[in-house]
């Protein structure tokens, strides 16, 4: 039972254009969402996050949008650069007893073509 | 600031052998996590420590996996005996958060240990 889904395993975009990565979730208890970027042979690196009380968060070229009613979030990268080529994981956070847990999607491989 | 350290980076073993992974979290981070990432999937939480106590180990296959966090700092994850399906990348992460902290938390990941079981 995948509670966080990234339905596009891969995405190719031309340098300078917008990259849009999508993520859907099913658990209404998720109240915080994060995007991580992963290069080969490295661990995931935190990119940007958003609380469920917001619908948008922006950090430089990266913007995350949250649509709670649709249980959908997206990551926009503008403009895309070749160095953005990596696997992007969507993650959702919910309270779990006395702790908080992250549930990850399966990732989207972004390739930015020069 | 030093990141999360893990060793070894790669390990190849035969099935039914045992293996251990080591993690040193970011200094001052109270919470430590072990994840298993199978090829083509996202990381899956195995166990979560708060200082040296286990907060959640509901997804840890306890018949073969064990983990400890010594003095609330370093941690080791052990598999004994290993199975073919244990081939994966084992990621360690740490965060500053404390149990019950409202809102989100940022987990910082190490480079991972890639395990191949033959």
């Amino acid at each position: 039972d995948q509670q966080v889904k990234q339905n596009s395993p891969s995405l190719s975009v031309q340098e300078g254009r917008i990259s849009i990565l999508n993520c859907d979730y099913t658990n209404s208890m998720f109240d915080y969402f994060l995007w991580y970027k992963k290069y080969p042979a490295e661990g995931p690196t935190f990119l940007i996050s958003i609380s469920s009380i917001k619908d948008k968060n922006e950090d430089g070229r990266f913007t995350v949008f949250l649509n709670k009613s649709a249980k959908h979030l997206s990551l926009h990268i503008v403009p895309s650069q070749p160095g953005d080529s990596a696997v992007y994981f969507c993650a959702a956070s919910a309270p779990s007893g006395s702790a908080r847990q992250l549930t990850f999607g399966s990732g989207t491989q972004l390739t930015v073509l020069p | 600031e030093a990141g999360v350290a893990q060793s070894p980076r790669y390990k190849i073993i035969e099935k039914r052998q045992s293996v251990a992974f080591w993690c040193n979290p970011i200094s001052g981070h109270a919470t430590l996590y072990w994840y298993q990432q199978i090829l083509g999937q996202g990381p899956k939480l195995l166990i979560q420590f708060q200082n040296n106590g286990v907060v959640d180990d509901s997804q840890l296959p306890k018949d073969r996996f064990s983990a400890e966090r010594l003095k609330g700092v370093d941690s080791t994850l052990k598999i004994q005996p290993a199975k073919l399906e244990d081939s994966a990348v084992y990621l360690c992460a740490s965060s500053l958060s404390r149990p019950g902290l409202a809102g989100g938390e940022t987990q910082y990941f190490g480079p991972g240990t890639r395990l191949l079981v033959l």
Side-chain angles (χ1 to χ4, degrees), chain A residues 31-32 34 36 38 41-46 49 89 93 96-107, chain B residues 9-10 33 35 37 40-43 45 48 55-56 59 91 99-101 103-107 109-111:
Chain A
D31 59 3
Y32 203 79
L34 307 91
Y36 282 82
K38 187 181 181 305
E42 296 183 11
T45 302
F46 170 72
S49 62
F89 290 100
S93 176
S96 176
S98 60
R100 296 188 65 85
Q101 281 196 4
L102 279 185
T103 302
F104 284 82
S106 55
Chain B
R9 292 297 308 275
Y10 303 92
Y33 315 79
Y35 288 87
Q37 185 179 11
Q41 300 180 17
L45 179 70
Q48 179 176 349
V55 173
D56 187 338
Q59 299 191 79
L91 293 162
L101 181 67
E105 61 185 40
T106 300
Q107 295 184 20
F109 285 82

Side-chain angles (χ1 to χ4, degrees), chain A residues 7 9 29 34 46 51 61 82 91 103 106 108:
Chain A
N7 292 317
M29 296 301 294
L34 307 91
F46 170 72
S51 166
R61 297 185 297 114
T103 302
S106 55
T108 297

Side-chain angles (χ1 to χ4, degrees), chain A residues 16-104:
Chain A
R17 304 294 292 269
I18 184 171
S19 295
I20 300 177
L21 295 93
N22 294 302
C23 179
D24 297 294
Y25 62 96
T26 57
N27 190 342
S28 299
M29 296 301 294
F30 291 141
D31 59 3
Y32 203 79
F33 304 89
L34 307 91
W35 285 94
Y36 282 82
K37 179 169 71 173
K38 187 181 181 305
Y39 292 118
E42 296 183 11
T45 302
F46 170 72
L47 192 58
I48 192 170
S49 62
I50 187 168
S51 166
S52 60
I53 62 174
K54 295 186 176 182
D55 55 18
K56 176 183 175 181
N57 188 27
E58 192 172 350
D59 183 2
R61 297 185 297 114
F62 303 91
T63 302
V64 55
F65 296 92
L66 175 63
N67 182 334
K68 283 179 59 180
S69 61
K71 294 190 174 65
H72 177 83
L73 64 155
S74 60
L75 174 68
H76 292 209
I77 307 174
V78 182
S80 300
Q81 300 174 354
D84 296 329
S85 297
V87 177
Y88 288 79
F89 290 100
C90 169
S93 176
S96 176
S98 60
R100 296 188 65 85
Q101 281 196 4
L102 279 185
T103 302
F104 284 82

